[in-house]
Amino acid sequence: MKYLEANFDGLVGPTHNYAGLSYGNVASKNNAQAVSNPKQAALQGLAKMKALADMGMTQGVLAPQARPDVEAMRKLGFSGSDEQVMKSAYSQVPHIYLAACSASSMWTANAATVSPSADTADNKVHFTPANLTNKYHRSLEPEVTGKILKAVFNDEQYFEHHPHLPDNDHFGDEGAANHTRFCNDYGESGVEFFVYGKYAFNDSKPAPKKFPARHTFEASQAVARLHKLGQQNQVYAQQNPGVIDQGVFHNDVISVGNQNVLFYHQQAFLDTNKVKSDILAKYQGDKFHFIEVPTDRVSVNDAVKSYLFNTQLISLSKGQMTIIAPQECQEIESVNHYLKSVIEADNPIVDVKFFDVKQSMQNGGGPACLRLRVALSEQELAATNQACLINQSKYDELCNWVNKHYRDRLTAADLATLEMLNESRTALDELTKILNLGSVYPFQKA
Ligand code: SUG
């Protein structure tokens, strides 16, 4: 049977804005209060999806969350009509109100951890939405993320959906941003590589000092248990706390893997030699390539600015991989130079393609943040909600939908208006029909 890797990108929501919500994420902090362009952001994302579909990849789309999240403000004690709740929350606690308006669900690498059926004891594809407890604005996502995933992968014969882990820092889980899978063919049993920032139940272990480690070892282990992974399918590695303190808030900002390649920065892991030997001890397949980028070629600072590692490493044919990079990688000399040398070197990476995802990049989200990888068999793909797959007509339909509903300029004050709430709900209600999702948003229950 044929297996493939599908990418499910997050559609940027109509409230996309820059609120400086993510302490430890340098771009988010640096662009706080910039005026955003949600229309351009959504179209940039759709253009990337369409380009990958045109390259022959299976490309899906995940709906955004409903924002502003008025119910979240009610839970904090604001009352009255929707408009009264929005206005009083915005005037009394603007920073908290803006968190409830974030379009951060666009970064679907943080939506969930996914284990393909080739790795799981019951041969089902397992999904666990990430709890994203470390940031309030992101902790509002998992409930609806779970509903959207169930509406996309909606066949119990093939797909197993778990609730998100306990909402507590001890089990901080950032999903696939800290999870990669190595395998020979996508349908063969693989090595799932779980990277965590700290131990929650062991204070004697190293941890970052300045910025938070959002993801714990204990969370990774819990997900592996829920997904019924065999011992041979799991490898764990601690992120280097020193790079978290330099703005590497997820592992996918400092390393990326695919099939028989791990492309990573010299400083990515606490113990690189152990990472290599642990992977090699369990990986079964063609020659494995560790492509280590030395600090004297690309500094951690340039890696964070360019998002060299927040690139998608995709296989377009057997043994030949292409890097999907943000334009910023072309603009930073050391990185552009390095990418040229990687293509020429003896490894599976043969090409690099650059994309303009600047609206997302300014909030710390590169091409890899925008996608959730789901390895599927042909049968599993056939059981997937077909209305969520990108082809020419779905792309056209979604672009028209964006052009009809989205603004091209959005400020913080706009987010506290009833017009914004109504616009967003009207757009998303229509989207659930385009994507055949049923009712996934709390406002649709009313
Ligand atoms: O969680 N930024 C996101 C970026 C997520 C990137 N994802 C991966 N690396 N996989 C975050 O920090 C900023 C929102 C704001 O400041 O308005 C934000 O949430």
Side-chain angles (χ1 to χ4, degrees):
M1 199 192 315
K2 215 179 134 219
Y3 282 79
L4 50 88
E5 180 186 87
N7 285 282
F8 281 80
D9 279 42
L11 187 53
V12 178
T15 62
H16 161 62
N17 72 97
Y18 301 112
L21 301 172
S22 283
Y23 180 64
N25 167 344
V26 182
S28 154
K29 282 287 161 199
N30 288 348
N31 292 300
Q33 271 112 54
V35 174
S36 67
N37 184 336
K39 184 180 281 185
Q40 190 182 47
L43 294 175
Q44 285 175 346
L46 280 164
K48 174 168 92 72
M49 295 183 223
K50 178 63 165 47
L52 265 77
D54 287 347
M55 287 176 209
M57 296 292 289
T58 300
Q59 179 68 54
V61 59
L62 294 178
Q65 307 252 332
R67 299 288 182 268
D69 190 340
V70 183
E71 288 316 305
M73 294 300 96
R74 289 188 194 279
K75 284 188 190 154
L76 301 181
F78 295 100
S79 57
S81 66
D82 284 348
E83 188 173 23
Q84 283 164 337
V85 169
M86 292 164 73
K87 296 265 181 253
S88 45
Y90 182 58
S91 66
Q92 291 174 40
V93 286
H95 46 293
I96 300 178
Y97 179 72
L98 291 178
C101 295
S102 179
S104 52
S105 65
M106 71 171 88
W107 299 297
T108 52
N110 305 118
T113 305
V114 185
S115 294
S117 54
D119 298 349
T120 64
D122 57 5
N123 295 116
K124 288 188 181 185
V125 185
H126 286 244
F127 298 84
T128 299
N131 60 20
L132 303 170
T133 49
N134 189 261
K135 299 279 176 271
Y136 169 65
H137 69 294
R138 304 225 58 185
S139 73
L140 301 173
E141 297 174 30
E143 210 61 52
V144 170
T145 297
K147 289 198 171 119
I148 292 172
L149 288 172
K150 279 184 190 154
V152 178
F153 303 98
N154 55 0
D155 188 330
E156 286 178 8
Q157 191 187 337
Y158 298 105
F159 306 118
E160 187 70 33
H161 294 273
H162 302 279
H164 58 88
L165 295 182
D167 288 303
N168 184 283
D169 192 51
H170 280 79
F171 291 99
D173 175 14
E174 300 281 317
N178 293 324
H179 175 259
T180 275
R181 178 171 181 262
F182 307 110
C183 59
N184 198 38
D185 185 79
Y186 290 115
E188 289 176 42
S189 172
V191 174
E192 301 202 12
F193 182 49
F194 293 89
V195 182
Y196 51 90
K198 67 173 181 191
Y199 288 80
F201 289 85
N202 188 340
D203 296 343
S204 69
K205 298 275 191 183
K209 296 189 168 58
K210 185 177 171 200
F211 291 143
R214 299 193 193 183
H215 196 126
T216 69
F217 170 67
E218 292 81 355
S220 295
Q221 277 203 319
V223 170
R225 270 191 300 271
L226 286 165
H227 290 197
K228 299 187 166 60
L229 300 181
Q231 284 308 317
Q232 73 284 3
N233 301 107
Q234 314 168 33
V235 166
Y236 297 86
Q238 182 165 359
Q239 230 187 313
N240 175 359
V243 296
I244 296 180
D245 282 339
Q246 290 174 71
V248 180
F249 57 99
H250 288 136
N251 177 59
D252 68 4
V253 175
I254 199 85
S255 89
V256 54
N258 177 43
Q259 293 193 311
N260 60 338
V261 172
L262 177 59
F263 179 47
Y264 63 102
H265 192 274
Q266 183 186 357
Q267 296 186 52
F269 307 111
L270 190 60
D271 186 346
T272 308
N273 287 335
K274 186 167 177 343
V275 167
K276 288 161 91 170
S277 59
D278 285 356
I279 291 173
L280 290 178
K282 296 193 175 174
Y283 172 77
Q284 294 171 330
D286 298 342
K287 178 179 177 331
F288 198 95
H289 297 262
F290 290 102
I291 307 177
E292 179 171 304
V293 182
T295 307
D296 60 13
R297 294 285 308 274
V298 177
S299 64
V300 172
N301 191 32
D302 278 357
V304 172
K305 272 201 293 199
S306 65
Y307 264 33
L308 167 62
F309 300 97
N310 201 266
T311 44
Q312 293 177 247
L313 199 50
I314 57 170
S315 301
L316 292 177
S317 57
K318 176 85 184 148
Q320 301 222 312
M321 300 187 193
T322 294
I323 294 187
I324 305 297
Q327 258 175 11
E328 284 74 358
C329 285
Q330 233 174 347
E331 289 155 14
I332 295 177
E333 179 75 27
S334 63
V335 173
N336 195 25
H337 203 252
Y338 185 83
L339 277 170
K340 284 187 182 140
S341 67
V342 141
I343 292 167
E344 281 156 19
D346 182 22
N347 65 54
I349 303 174
V350 294
D351 196 10
V352 52
K353 294 199 186 314
F354 298 99
F355 284 84
D356 179 4
V357 286
K358 195 161 191 283
Q359 285 286 327
S360 166
M361 284 287 283
Q362 290 180 158
N363 250 340
C369 298
L370 287 161
R371 63 90 173 91
L372 181 68
R373 297 192 273 192
V374 189
L376 296 166
S377 69
E378 269 175 336
Q379 277 174 348
E380 290 157 356
L381 179 63
T384 299
N385 180 340
Q386 302 295 301
C388 295
L389 299 180
I390 297 290
N391 50 29
Q392 184 69 51
S393 68
K394 188 62 63 176
Y395 172 73
D396 291 341
E397 199 177 5
L398 289 171
C399 288
N400 289 340
W401 173 82
V402 168
N403 283 317
K404 176 174 158 198
H405 294 286
Y406 281 46
R407 300 189 189 194
D408 55 15
R409 189 190 145 82
L410 195 59
T411 62
D414 298 329
L415 288 161
T417 62
L418 194 59
E419 291 76 37
M420 187 70 235
L421 182 72
N422 289 337
E423 251 171 66
S424 168
R425 288 183 173 178
T426 305
L428 295 182
D429 197 42
E430 202 176 305
L431 183 69
T432 53
K433 296 184 183 80
I434 297 175
L435 300 180
N436 196 14
L437 297 176
S439 296
V440 287
Y441 299 118
F443 74 83
Q444 291 179 309
K445 299 272 183 291

